[in-house]
Amino acid sequence: MTTKIDHAHDPLDATFELWFPNDQVPDAEVPERVQALVDALCTGAGPLATLRMAGHLPAWRDVLTPAFAEAHLTIGVAFDDLQAGCTALAAVASAAGARLQAHVFEAQDEHDPFAHLRPCQPPPRPPTSPGE
């Protein structure tokens, strides 16, 4: 990731493009891997649940049959601490076997910068209780 922001007045938003290398993950496994990734990011101590900036809802969209060089999952989020959020998100992606590319930019207006990623798909599954 290479981004230079000299002076920002508004929150910094980030989009992450995540994909599973086709030489390591068969196409048939991608939907479950994307779902597991969303679950890990959004529930419990996941970075989209715990590190996002208050009042700025994250968004995501999956593409299970991507065109060439298109991501399987695109996530948009504003973190309170950009470095901690990006590091945590990258760790979850790496643990899932996903590669990622990040783009950071200053929020340009009051409108939802991630509207194009809504409604969020797939939705996170509810956590299961032990014994289920």
Side-chain angles (χ1 to χ4, degrees):
M1 174 177 86
T2 303
T3 299
K4 181 177 180 180
I5 300 174
D6 290 325
H7 185 86
H9 292 277
D10 294 309
L12 294 178
D13 293 331
T15 57
F16 299 87
E17 296 175 337
L18 296 95
W19 69 95
F20 296 96
N22 61 3
D23 62 338
Q24 297 172 18
V25 178
D27 289 343
E29 291 181 20
V30 170
E32 178 53 34
R33 295 257 191 137
V34 167
Q35 181 66 62
L37 190 52
V38 167
D39 295 344
L41 291 168
C42 294
T43 58
L48 297 186
T50 60
L51 299 176
R52 71 176 177 85
M53 186 176 287
H56 296 262
L57 292 176
W60 58 89
R61 171 77 54 194
D62 65 346
V63 177
L64 299 179
T65 309
F68 180 75
E70 187 176 24
H72 289 112
L73 180 65
T74 301
I75 299 168
V77 62
F79 290 117
D80 278 322
D81 180 328
L82 184 63
Q83 182 177 357
C86 290
T87 300
L89 193 144
V92 172
S94 179
R99 307 274 171 82
L100 75 90
Q101 181 173 3
H103 306 274
V104 177
F105 51 97
E106 185 176 6
Q108 297 299 311
D109 56 36
E110 302 137 20
H111 296 55
D112 183 358
F114 309 123
H116 65 288
L117 299 173
R118 298 188 199 286
C120 298
Q121 291 296 325
R125 294 179 284 208
T128 58
S129 17
E132 280 187 34

